Amino acid sequence: MATPTLDKTDNAEAGFADSPFITATFRIRRFNPEVSDEVQWQDFQIEIDPKERVLDALHKIKWEIDGTLTFRRSCAHGICGSDAMRINGKNRLACKTLIKDINPDKPITVEAIKGLTVLKDLVVDMDPFFQAYHDVMPFLITKGNEPTRERLQSPEDRERFDDTTKCILCAACTSSCPVFWNDGQYFGPAAIVNAHRFIFDSRDEAGEQRLEILNDRDGVWRCRTTFNCTDACPRGIEVTKAIQEVKRALITRRF
Amino acid sequence: MSSETSSAAAIGDVEGVSLYDVDHPAPVIEPPRKRTAKTPKASRGNFEMYAWLFMRLSGILLTVLVIGHLLIQLVLDGGVSKIGFAFVAGRWASPFWQVWDLTMLWLAMLHGGNGLRTVINDYAERDNTRFWLKMLLYTATVFTVLLGTLVIFTFDPNIR
Ligand code: SF4
Ligand code: FES
């Protein structure tokens, strides 16, 4: 393995310590349909500062060891939602997970999120996920004439759905849901979170329609309150609570 | 993303020659019952909501009914050894216990049946498997409920 070279690091702190580098093993689940139909776990040993993120380790592997390693990332700062993956068995964003926080003494496993088709290495087909998102109509729907100025809203009304506005559509929640793993017809937590964001928005007027969509056979009633989604969400959204609020709205609407 | 076939080939190729290449990729593994644009649109109806509510409400009632039942049958007044034909006949002489047992039978069977229905919905992958498992479940549930009801109502203490 290459000896640590300080000039390569983009972490300014690294220059101060004696040697911040440790040797960590990344055990990555590889799949390349152009080579084999078999999935393989491949180990990569790299020298890395534990204060770096898993994404930096993946970069290091891709740029210095094996250029075929494939994964998605864009912003690298936890806002675009493209690099959700299963790290040590838990769904996280690679760009928000520090290596020191996930015990680098043991091999760190990295694999694609579950419940979606793996296309290559860590890249999955997100179409079913976004289909569910589209199906809840995640946009403002209003009746009547367009106002001449912006639609005002009180801070309290805004607060009502504040939590669910934070979603970055990373799919960490949906792909951690055991109901979704077994039945892709279920809307999944992310779609419900994004429906919640409009159902409880005082400016929106299609809440009733969205509730009706989620009242469906594959809607909120399939939630088993496992809390996997709340644990997985990198934005700290209380996903299960949002789902329960939609259930409550459905029941109080009827009775 | 670019892919260097030479080094990638080393990963997959165990037997020497790989069956797959860029033009003939291996099949990917799709998840069960994937959502597509053709996924059936929302159906109007509140069945799932009522089923969900029923589970909560019947659960509460069943806690009372079942714990009471267990206490009477197994703990109080001599415990399990007292249970015999005469004991059952004596209890069912009173309409109160008839109603108690009848409610317990119906609620427990529907509660359990609905629970199993959700388990089948969650875990059976193919539509056919789902359908037949559910048919089996419904048949068993209806049979047990009807048989139990029949016995409670037509019970004859002088049968011997
Ligand atoms: S709710 Fe959280 S975990 Fe789910 S898609 Fe949105 S940001 Fe990701
Ligand atoms: S790369 Fe954008 S969220 Fe991680």
Side-chain angles (χ1 to χ4, degrees):
Chain A
M1 242 351 67
T3 41
T5 42
L6 286 178
D7 56 345
K8 249 187 228 147
T9 179
D10 45 29
N11 186 344
E13 287 172 83
F16 294 99
D18 281 336
S19 173
F21 292 90
I22 56 159
T23 309
T25 309
F26 284 83
R27 183 162 291 167
I28 302 180
R29 193 171 188 266
R30 308 288 311 265
F31 171 68
N32 183 353
E34 290 173 2
V35 171
S36 163
D37 56 352
E38 300 271 339
V39 158
Q40 279 206 336
W41 289 92
Q42 195 179 357
D43 280 5
F44 294 94
Q45 277 208 340
I46 52 169
E47 308 281 323
I48 194 154
D49 184 337
K51 291 194 290 301
E52 301 239 51
R53 306 158 303 171
V54 173
L55 183 65
D56 300 311
L58 293 176
H59 279 152
K60 207 172 161 85
I61 294 168
K62 183 173 178 69
W63 293 339
E64 295 169 18
I65 303 175
D66 185 349
T68 65
L69 180 67
T70 309
F71 53 91
R72 286 198 183 105
R73 74 99 174 82
S74 180
C75 68
H77 289 88
I79 213 62
C80 71
S82 36
D83 63 344
M85 47 189 80
R86 216 166 132 85
I87 300 167
N88 276 354
K90 194 168 175 273
N91 283 2
R92 315 170 205 243
L93 293 180
C95 63
K96 279 184 86 173
T97 309
L98 297 188
I99 293 168
K100 70 181 174 61
D101 292 341
I102 49 170
N103 187 14
D105 302 337
K106 285 203 233 130
I108 295 166
T109 61
V110 182
E111 58 190 303
I113 45 179
K114 286 180 43 151
L116 295 160
T117 312
V118 178
L119 299 177
K120 188 176 176 187
D121 293 347
L122 305 176
V123 173
V124 296
D125 174 14
M126 297 279 278
D127 282 357
F129 173 79
F130 283 114
Q131 184 64 47
Y133 176 59
H134 290 163
D135 288 349
V136 299
M137 307 190 294
F139 36 78
L140 187 80
I141 302 176
T142 54
K143 299 186 196 80
N145 292 336
E146 224 171 275
T148 47
R149 48 180 209 147
E150 75 267 40
R151 297 167 197 275
L152 293 179
Q153 184 171 48
S154 70
E156 297 76 50
D157 283 348
R158 176 61 177 70
E159 186 57 33
R160 180 66 193 86
F161 61 94
D162 185 63
D163 202 31
T164 43
T165 58
K166 295 187 257 167
C167 177
I168 55 173
L169 291 169
C170 64
C173 54
T174 296
S175 63
S176 73
C177 174
V179 177
F180 182 78
W181 292 340
N182 286 295
D183 189 349
Q185 299 282 306
Y186 173 43
F187 273 93
I192 301 173
V193 159
N194 287 281
H196 177 286
R197 184 247 169 276
F198 285 99
I199 291 171
F200 294 98
D201 185 338
S202 59
R203 296 163 297 186
D204 187 82
E205 291 169 53
E208 186 66 19
Q209 254 169 290
R210 295 197 185 86
L211 284 175
E212 199 53 62
I213 292 170
L214 292 179
N215 195 21
D216 193 26
R217 207 158 52 86
D218 299 307
V220 283
W221 306 116
R222 299 211 63 179
C223 168
R224 307 274 168 267
T225 342
T226 315
F227 280 96
N228 275 16
C229 46
T230 303
D231 287 346
C233 182
R235 306 283 296 163
I237 299 173
E238 294 178 282
V239 184
T240 314
K241 185 173 167 211
I243 301 177
Q244 295 307 103
E245 284 175 357
V246 174
K247 283 183 191 165
R248 184 176 308 154
L250 272 166
I251 289 175
T252 47
R253 182 180 71 139
R254 293 274 174 251
F255 301 106
Chain B
M1 296 231 164
S2 74
S3 107
E4 237 180 85
T5 7
S6 59
S7 82
I11 300 167
D13 137 345
V14 186
E15 255 87 65
V17 193
S18 172
L19 289 170
Y20 305 103
D21 59 35
V22 183
D23 298 320
H24 308 93
V28 289
I29 302 165
E30 308 224 329
R33 296 168 45 84
K34 192 165 83 165
R35 177 176 282 266
T36 62
K38 287 199 287 300
T39 287
K41 286 287 168 280
S43 53
R44 294 201 151 250
N46 294 312
F47 178 74
E48 290 297 332
M49 182 180 84
Y50 290 127
W52 187 89
L53 267 179
F54 171 77
M55 289 308 266
R56 271 77 202 158
L57 299 177
S58 63
I60 298 170
L61 267 176
L62 276 170
T63 331
V64 179
L65 292 175
V66 171
I67 292 183
H69 179 82
L70 289 179
L71 272 179
I72 294 163
Q73 305 280 316
L74 308 178
V75 183
L76 302 177
D77 202 13
V80 74
S81 55
K82 66 166 186 281
I83 299 180
F85 188 85
F87 177 76
V88 176
R91 279 182 86 223
W92 277 352
S94 136
F96 176 78
W97 293 116
Q98 275 192 341
V99 171
W100 180 299
D101 280 2
L102 191 73
T103 336
M104 196 166 67
L105 169 76
W106 275 74
L107 287 183
M109 280 312 292
L110 294 181
H111 186 95
N114 189 38
L116 266 178
R117 183 185 70 94
T118 16
V119 172
I120 294 170
N121 276 343
D122 280 358
Y123 287 105
E125 286 180 14
R126 270 174 297 149
D127 285 341
N128 257 332
T129 328
R130 279 170 180 246
F131 178 78
W132 287 112
L133 281 177
K134 281 198 258 184
M135 280 306 133
L136 188 70
L137 172 72
Y138 296 157
T139 320
T141 313
V142 170
F143 177 77
T144 319
V145 166
L146 288 186
L147 187 68
T149 314
L150 189 76
V151 170
I152 292 177
F153 280 128
T154 61
F155 179 73
D156 176 8
N158 306 315
I159 199 162
R160 280 189 240 185

